[in-house]
Amino acid sequence: MGRPPCCNKLGIKKGPWTPEEDNILVSYIQEHGPGNWRLVPANTGLMRCSKSCRLRWTNYLRPGIKRGNFTPHEERIIIHLQALLGNRWAAIASFLPQRTDNDIKNYWNTHLKKKIKTYQVAIESSMGFSDAGGAFSHDEIQRSFGDEAIKAAHNLISQSSTTYASSAENISKLLEGWMSSSPKSTLNPVHARQENSRQDAKESFIVNINDDFAENLRGNQMKIEQESFAQIHPAEWSSQQLSFENPVIEWDKSSVNSLFDENKHDTCNYPEQQVATESLLDKWLLDEGTEQLDAL
DNA sequence: AAAAAGCGCAACCGCGAGCCG
DNA sequence: ACGGCTCGCGGTTGCGCTTTT
């Protein structure tokens, strides 16, 4: 016997929002600010559940939302972060402040997943790993993805073998080790709750990843590099290397170490730590390896 | 021109986390 | 310590538009 869904109440309207409803919601939030969503339907007379109001605000009405096509740079960020974090859309969205998690999720599911799959199939086909052999000729792949991508794929595939798992699973496993060995967000939970949710997600992610990276880099970094990544199927491995440039390998390790030596995980230094981590992320995203994504 | 299929996206749903009495 | 409640997240659905046949 669970809690009844909030949206099953009698008289609750579902479906697309009308401009009038949008106006009411925006006016209310302009006056009272976002939050306390359960009060919104009661105070505005909207026949919507609190959840629906929150969703409409965060995904559509919130100021600063960028709509329309994703830029190649945004695509790269999403692909990298999805590889690193898995389907943690809120965390990914925190690095693209103008995009909503819903938008990113939709874009991933409708565009990027397909793109990457096509690329993987092409590589698998050319390497002879796939039953879809023959679906793509070498020339077709070369035309689509370019010589360098092919060479890189060959090199990387020849370096590894062993069992298959999805790239997301492998990265997740890798991250799990870091996550489980470090405390969750060190933010005051009361304060964190009051913050904007997207910022929370970002902070939580960055705090975690800072500690995790520090642990990883100080501890068994080599072990992780050698063992965890060896579990990836050759074709997946090629895709990851070409698409994701995993930060464990590619980030400037000395900068990361010095960063954590200076900050000693002290949350008082958090803003500086965040800025430094963001700049490292930017560096990682802009690394030359990511250019190969453009071949997609 | 019309029907069918495909696609994109807004919105819904269920669940887990965390707060509070 | 426990249960009720709210909030936020990720997966999924379904509608409307576009493209293909």
Side-chain angles (χ1 to χ4, degrees), chain A residues 28 36-50 53:
Chain A
Y28 179 82
N36 266 327
W37 295 106
R38 73 196 159 83
L39 297 179
V40 175
N43 291 348
T44 59
L46 283 168
M47 303 304 283
R48 299 278 181 172
C49 70
S50 55
C53 294

Side-chain angles (χ1 to χ4, degrees), chain A residues 46-206:
Chain A
L46 283 168
M47 303 304 283
R48 299 278 181 172
C49 70
S50 55
K51 233 177 187 182
S52 183
C53 294
R54 185 182 58 78
L55 211 63
R56 183 64 179 169
W57 172 256
T58 55
N59 284 344
Y60 202 84
L61 300 173
R62 184 169 55 86
I65 292 179
K66 182 176 162 190
R67 313 204 74 81
N69 293 342
F70 281 70
T71 66
H73 180 64
E74 287 175 319
E75 274 193 14
R76 282 198 289 271
I77 291 175
I78 294 167
I79 291 169
H80 281 298
L81 291 175
Q82 203 280 339
L84 182 64
L85 300 170
N87 295 352
R88 291 170 59 189
W89 305 116
I92 294 171
S94 67
F95 285 89
L96 295 168
Q98 295 178 307
R99 302 291 189 178
T100 70
D101 52 358
N102 207 37
D103 258 357
I104 293 170
K105 179 173 62 181
N106 283 336
Y107 191 67
W108 172 265
N109 285 330
T110 55
H111 293 94
L112 296 179
K113 212 157 76 173
K114 243 176 276 177
K115 241 180 184 179
I116 288 172
K117 184 72 189 169
T118 304
Y119 180 65
Q120 277 181 238
V121 168
I123 294 295
E124 284 176 9
S125 169
S126 77
M127 300 285 104
F129 288 119
S130 167
D131 289 342
F136 295 87
S137 72
H138 184 271
D139 283 350
E140 283 169 333
I141 295 167
Q142 202 161 25
R143 232 179 297 124
S144 303
F145 305 117
D147 273 342
E148 290 310 308
I150 300 274
K151 275 182 207 163
H154 275 279
N155 288 340
L156 290 163
I157 286 168
S158 68
Q159 288 169 12
S160 62
S161 59
T162 77
T163 57
Y164 170 83
S166 76
S167 55
E169 276 174 357
N170 276 294
I171 300 289
S172 297
K173 277 177 193 163
L174 179 60
L175 283 167
E176 266 172 27
W178 303 351
M179 296 297 183
S180 60
S181 65
S182 68
K184 290 234 167 184
S185 170
T186 49
L187 290 172
N188 175 333
V190 176
H191 171 73
R193 192 149 183 117
Q194 291 167 346
E195 293 282 331
N196 177 289
S197 63
R198 292 167 57 84
Q199 191 58 26
D200 285 350
K202 183 174 187 175
E203 286 170 354
S204 167
F205 165 63
I206 290 172

